[in-house]
Amino acid sequence: MDGATQAEAVREAIRACTERIEEERSYLTDLDSAIGDADHGANMTRGFTAAADRIDGLESEEPAELVKAVGMALLSEVGGASGPLYGGSIVAASGELEEGITAETTVAFAEAYLEKLQERGKASVGDKTMVDALVPAVHTYKKSIEVDGRDPLEALGKAVDAAERGVAFTVPIRASRGRASYLGWRSVGHQDPGATSTLILLETLLSVATDHLDGEVEVDAEAEGKPAEEGDDEGDAGAVEVED
Ligand code: ADP
Ligand code: MG
């Protein structure tokens, strides 16, 4: 993909994320009413609508600039904990995409995003936050590409599966970061809203990437046939072994 095509793909991804977040607004709000203050759906919708508007007004064919603009919009429009976490981490990681979007740059972006988010939020796996979806997703994405030699599309598919298990893992645990932690043991049995929005965004990126990359990426027939399972979830945080 050349620069202009990549920029178009990024724009499409942002529009798709905005639409999907709008669709899931009340679901995210319901999750946040159980263990928070019922604003996660509104926060995410406001942030992504602003992001979509911002990139519409931005004449750039640089994926890094477009992604940075999304982060800036989230930072300035979302008041809750999730705004600075999502927005600040996207802004900080966007520089990794300066050379365009490749397997290598997307791994670097994912790692930088996770690092920044944990630096800001101080949450680890098991605290019942978006980190519980993000850590397994980022580790799985990196391992799928760098160790298993998968293409980015397959790797993203694996990352989405890992994030899904991470979201399920948030249900039975007690929150120790963010607003939900005020509930103590009463937070047990509820799914974390931020982990859920992280999964929703990853699912949307996967569907846009599938539209853009399917057929373009050469699938290694040998790698396809061989059982990928061996040590497949190794990169995941141990805690995320919990499957439903
Ligand atoms: P607020 O909690 O300020 O109302 P939101 O409702 O928009 O903000 O976002 C809540 C989500 O933010 C939580 O479900 C959790 O995933 C995430 N979150 C909160 N605090 C942290 C933190 N310190 N580190 C990582 N994620 C966090
Ligand atoms: Mg909230």
Side-chain angles (χ1 to χ4, degrees):
M1 275 201 273
D2 61 21
T5 318
Q6 285 201 352
E8 194 35 57
V10 171
R11 286 177 185 279
E12 196 181 317
I14 296 161
R15 283 193 291 267
C17 285
T18 309
E19 270 172 36
R20 181 78 201 279
I21 287 290
E22 271 167 12
E23 282 164 23
E24 306 289 354
R25 178 185 174 136
S26 54
Y27 173 49
L28 294 172
T29 294
D30 289 348
L31 293 175
D32 199 30
S33 359
I35 52 169
D37 55 354
D39 64 354
H40 193 56
N43 283 344
M44 294 299 286
T45 304
R46 191 169 59 253
F48 271 90
T49 305
D53 288 349
R54 207 176 266 229
I55 58 144
D56 278 348
L58 189 65
E59 266 182 52
S60 170
E61 287 189 354
E62 297 293 330
E65 272 179 36
L66 295 168
V67 171
K68 186 175 180 184
V70 172
M72 300 290 285
L74 295 175
L75 257 178
S76 60
E77 295 297 325
V78 183
S82 59
L85 288 167
Y86 270 118
S89 311
I90 291 174
V91 170
S94 63
E96 303 293 342
L97 301 176
E98 262 162 27
E99 305 290 312
I101 294 178
T102 66
E104 218 178 6
T105 62
T106 50
V107 169
F109 174 85
E111 285 192 295
Y113 175 79
L114 173 63
E115 194 186 317
K116 193 70 193 175
L117 199 135
Q118 289 196 281
E119 189 186 304
R120 263 175 193 260
K122 309 270 186 286
S124 313
V125 168
D127 285 344
K128 198 179 181 102
T129 69
M130 52 177 73
V131 168
D132 292 330
L134 200 56
V135 164
V138 172
H139 288 189
T140 299
Y141 187 66
K142 181 180 168 75
K143 177 184 175 265
S144 298
I145 287 179
E146 293 182 359
V147 180
D148 303 333
R150 293 182 189 274
D151 63 61
L153 194 54
E154 285 181 301
L156 189 52
K158 293 273 170 198
V160 168
D161 294 344
E164 209 172 320
R165 293 194 291 274
V167 168
F169 166 65
T170 66
V171 177
I173 61 175
R174 175 188 161 156
S176 13
R177 288 275 170 198
R179 210 176 275 280
S181 66
Y182 307 156
L183 289 181
W185 290 105
R186 280 179 292 143
S187 64
V188 169
H190 299 283
Q191 185 174 309
D192 181 65
T196 308
S197 57
T198 297
L199 171 63
I200 285 170
L201 293 172
L202 285 171
E203 283 173 351
T204 311
L205 294 181
L206 175 62
S207 93
V208 173
T210 304
D211 292 346
H212 275 266
L213 294 178
D214 223 10
E216 195 169 305
V217 177
E218 247 180 68
V219 178
D220 179 348
E222 208 191 316
E224 259 231 310
K226 89 179 168 212
E229 272 53 59
E230 158 223 340
D232 223 27
D233 292 324
E234 227 168 52
D236 300 8
V240 185
E241 296 291 320
V242 185
E243 271 179 90
D244 37 283

